Amino acid sequence: MTTAVKNENTVLKVILAILLPPLAVYMDKGVGTQFLLNIVLTLVGFWIIGIIHALLVVL
């Protein structure tokens, strides 16, 4: 994968992490513990905690 494609994917994942945190984690890690944890954090943490977790996973 070239550097330009990686940068585009990272930008897309950061935007998704802000708008739809579980989707960004799913795109990066697939279905697993990080994905399930993000769903719980997003629902319980009133979205902000889910966004923070998704950004940590994606970046």
Side-chain angles (χ1 to χ4, degrees), residues 6 8 10 12-13 17 19 25 45-46 55-56 58:
K6 286 183 182 180
E8 289 176 6
T10 303
L12 174 66
K13 288 178 186 175
L19 298 175
V25 174
F46 303 107
L55 287 172
L56 288 173
V58 169

Side-chain angles (χ1 to χ4, degrees), residues 17-35:
I18 294 169
L19 298 175
L20 299 167
L23 181 59
V25 174
Y26 173 76
M27 285 181 63
D28 195 54
K29 300 292 183 185
V31 176
T33 56
Q34 293 293 326
F35 176 68

Side-chain angles (χ1 to χ4, degrees), residues 1-57:
M1 208 180 257
T2 64
T3 305
V5 173
K6 286 183 182 180
N7 289 339
E8 289 176 6
N9 286 340
T10 303
V11 170
L12 174 66
K13 288 178 186 175
V14 168
I15 292 170
L16 284 175
I18 294 169
L19 298 175
L20 299 167
L23 181 59
V25 174
Y26 173 76
M27 285 181 63
D28 195 54
K29 300 292 183 185
V31 176
T33 56
Q34 293 293 326
F35 176 68
L36 296 174
L37 177 63
N38 191 267
I39 289 175
V40 170
L41 289 174
T42 302
L43 294 176
V44 173
F46 303 107
W47 208 264
I48 299 299
I49 297 173
I51 292 172
I52 294 169
H53 176 258
L55 287 172
L56 288 173
V57 169

